[in-house]
Amino acid sequence: MSRPAVDIAFHGGPERIAELAREVEQRGGVRGLFVAEAAHDPFVALALAATATERLEIGTSIAVAFARTPMAMAYSAYDLQRLSHGRFVLGLGSQIKPHIVRRYGMPWSQPAARMQEYVAALRAIWHSWQTGDDLDFRGDFYEHTLMPPLFSPGPLEWPSPTVWLAAVGPRMLAAAGAVADGLICHPLLSRSYLAEVVTPAVTASRAQHGRVSEPFEISALCMVATGRTEEDLAAAVAGVRRQIGFYASTPAYAPVLEHHGWSALHTEAHTMTRAGRWDELGDLVDDEVLATFAVVGELDSVGSAVRARFAGLADRVTTSMPYDADDLLALDLLTGR
């Protein structure tokens, strides 16, 4: 593992993705296009990207697993694998309890154990479709025991989708090592946290489950602040500071800050959000914290810095630009235009 391959993240509406996907594939140098589940359904956008391209990998980064049953997720992912001719990566994340319970109206319990079983259920469903074997999955959280021929899409010409898991804490990292084909690192990521916490935890879990010889990819998300003008760059830096402040306020991401001795930042940010002071979060992020979690610079220089940031540690790196940026900005910084 030397310098990682690079991927593009897309956050816009589905009506814009086909044109971008074609441009990404035409330029070359970018391995994949990934869509997050936020304000839009990622599977709709990726269906359009799949039919607009021939070689580019596509995937979710992430789809919210617990917003759907394994069966519902299995159909969407399987159809995208079919549409893309085997180029689809299913990236799954748990989200946090308030979103699952209050936004999606779905159950929440033991997220790491539930996620590990969720992936096992997906694989059992796909195996049934690929082989015609009876579906008989019985777990602690999910049970799938009915698959009449009318409801089976049948075998694909390609393997079932690759599954990556998003993880930060030790339990979810262990789940990723146990059942996934890859790991999606959270954007609040430093080189030392990846090297000293994330990788050892995943490696230990893979060894425990006898999976060391199986293919496994680590995908790092890298926050980037850049722009085409000085004004754009300043706005990008402010946006990244706010995003880091938001992440810092979330208890699930506190271990990353604790690793660097910045527990007080989490406490202050969390207190601020409870008081509704969202617009002030960026003020908590000083230059040292910014440089630890983000690449900052002019458009013509940040591309090489993104590639170098996790060199030797990650197989792939995806740009994360949490501010108002045009669709081609990430592609331009990675391809040198």
Side-chain angles (χ1 to χ4, degrees), residues 1-6 185 189-196 198-200 203 216-220 304-317:
M1 187 188 302
S2 54
R3 288 207 171 191
V6 290
C185 299
L189 180 70
S190 67
R191 186 174 175 87
S192 65
Y193 191 78
L194 177 56
E196 299 169 22
V198 172
T199 301
T203 300
F216 191 90
E217 290 192 292
I218 294 178
S219 175
S304 59
V306 167
R307 288 179 169 86
R309 191 170 190 85
F310 299 110
L313 296 176
D315 301 283
R316 308 169 71 140
V317 61

Side-chain angles (χ1 to χ4, degrees), residues 291-311:
T292 299
F293 295 120
V295 170
V296 180
E298 303 290 340
L299 184 60
D300 60 358
S301 63
V302 291
S304 59
V306 167
R307 288 179 169 86
R309 191 170 190 85
F310 299 110

Side-chain angles (χ1 to χ4, degrees), residues 10-17 35-46 48 60 62-64 68 103-104:
F10 178 78
H11 300 283
E15 71 279 1
R16 291 158 38 195
I17 196 170
V35 178
E37 182 161 23
H40 302 278
D41 186 322
F43 297 107
V44 173
L46 288 168
L48 296 170
T60 53
I62 52 86
V64 180
R68 305 166 180 83
R103 185 156 69 96
Y104 289 107

Side-chain angles (χ1 to χ4, degrees), residues 9 72 115 149 165 167 207 218 238 241 253 255 264 287 302 315:
M115 183 67 83
L165 290 187
I218 294 178
R241 288 188 195 272
Y253 309 140
D287 289 346
V302 291
D315 301 283

